[in-house]
Amino acid sequence: MGFLESLEKNIEKAVRAAFSTGSRKRVEAVEIASALRRELDHEAFTISAGRTMAPNVFVVEFSDEDFPRAQDWGTPLAEELCDVVIKHARSQAYTLQGAVKVSFTRNPEVEAGEFRVHSSAHRTAESPNTPSTPSGQRIARGHRQEEDEPTRSVPAQHWIPVLDVEGARFSINADSIVLGRSAEADITVEDTGVSRKHLEIRRQGEHFVAVDLGSTNGSYVDGERVIGRSELVNGSVITMGRTRITFRLLTPKGNR
């Protein structure tokens, strides 16, 4: 039996039942699997000859209407989708920085019958708990470690670190920068949910960390609240208030 046939046999019936309400569009398991493969291809980047990095942490966002139904079937589907990611990464010779994780969450901006996929790269092990996040309750985290694939970290000194903030890109040229609503911050974020001095991005040796500066609403990295500090890897998503910031490590032009 082929892989897609097996996937459909194991989970498509359950997902179809969970998301089917009358005549409106329903989410199919194969659509989510295809979206994850596209996300891998879109976010993969080459760092050297024969080595291409790809994200390993995925969050699938559902509408308020679909999310409760997803809770009943989330864990089996999330685990199957982890296998989808690993198989596609192997077929494309992508390097993953750590174990593959897929989780589901609620997003009121998503329309019924639709879904969105967000990805990031994360090298450290995460807690098995499923905490709440600013975008809604998170459920059904699937977790798979790719066989014979060690967890890797990309030294920051070999790359150009940047922050993508609401369509604008900022290079990190200092050992420490502060983000916040204040005009005195190094990067000003115009969001009422952001404190005047909300978050610090700090270089530590070859790596970067996010440090919450006692903000009112807290800071999150890849959906996990920052307690003290959190290490950043290529593709890490920082959430402050309603603002999403992506940390990236870009290849210097001379190395491409």
Side-chain angles (χ1 to χ4, degrees):
M1 179 179 295
F3 169 67
L4 285 179
E5 291 178 351
S6 177
L7 175 66
E8 291 177 352
K9 180 178 179 180
N10 291 334
I11 60 178
E12 186 174 6
K13 182 178 180 180
V15 174
R16 180 178 292 121
F19 290 96
S20 180
T21 57
S23 60
R24 74 170 175 82
K25 183 181 181 297
R26 64 191 178 194
V27 176
E28 301 285 355
V30 292
E31 292 177 338
I32 302 174
S34 295
L36 290 178
R37 288 192 289 266
R38 289 194 300 271
E39 184 73 6
L40 271 172
D41 294 337
H42 183 265
E43 295 298 325
F45 65 101
T46 300
I47 63 173
S48 63
R51 189 175 182 200
T52 300
M53 304 296 294
N56 62 304
V57 179
F58 302 84
V59 178
V60 184
E61 297 180 344
F62 296 98
S63 67
D64 286 336
E65 184 175 352
D66 289 328
F67 183 75
R69 298 180 180 89
Q71 289 178 304
D72 293 334
W73 305 100
T75 298
L77 177 58
E79 291 177 348
E80 291 285 349
L81 292 174
C82 287
D83 292 335
V84 169
V85 170
I86 291 174
K87 289 179 181 291
H88 187 66
R90 287 175 176 170
S91 70
Q92 300 300 314
Y94 295 152
T95 297
L96 304 179
Q97 296 189 45
V100 174
K101 302 178 181 68
V102 175
S103 57
F104 302 151
T105 190
R106 181 202 312 267
N107 185 343
E109 297 181 358
V110 177
E111 296 183 0
E114 302 292 337
F115 64 91
R116 298 178 185 175
V117 174
H118 298 286
S119 66
S120 60
H122 207 293
R123 75 178 183 88
T124 57
E126 295 186 24
S127 167
N129 297 325
T130 54
S132 296
T133 70
S135 59
Q137 182 183 4
R138 182 172 291 190
I139 62 161
R141 174 173 293 167
H143 183 163
R144 290 282 193 272
Q145 178 70 49
E146 185 176 13
E147 296 178 0
D148 301 322
E149 183 60 46
T151 297
R152 295 187 176 95
S153 174
V154 181
Q157 67 178 10
H158 302 307
W159 311 98
I160 299 174
V162 301
L163 294 175
D164 288 336
V165 185
E166 301 295 315
R169 174 164 289 178
F170 301 87
S171 296
I172 302 177
N173 299 317
D175 289 338
S176 172
I177 64 169
V178 173
L179 294 84
R181 193 159 41 88
S182 171
E184 298 177 356
D186 298 303
I187 299 178
T188 301
V189 179
E190 297 181 357
D191 182 337
T192 56
V194 171
S195 298
R196 293 177 57 80
K197 291 187 177 181
H198 194 110
L199 182 80
E200 178 186 7
I201 305 297
R202 184 183 302 169
R203 183 192 293 269
Q204 289 191 336
E206 296 184 345
H207 305 281
F208 284 87
V209 295
V211 181
D212 186 83
L213 300 176
S215 63
T216 301
N217 296 322
S219 305
Y220 296 80
V221 172
D222 297 326
E224 302 290 337
R225 184 156 187 161
V226 177
I227 306 298
R229 65 192 62 189
S230 180
E231 184 172 351
L232 300 173
V233 296
N234 184 60
S236 288
V237 176
I238 303 166
T239 305
M240 300 164 41
R242 296 180 299 277
T243 302
R244 291 170 59 91
I245 301 167
T246 304
F247 175 83
R248 299 191 186 280
L249 295 173
L250 303 183
T251 306
K253 290 182 178 180
N255 295 341
R256 292 178 183 174

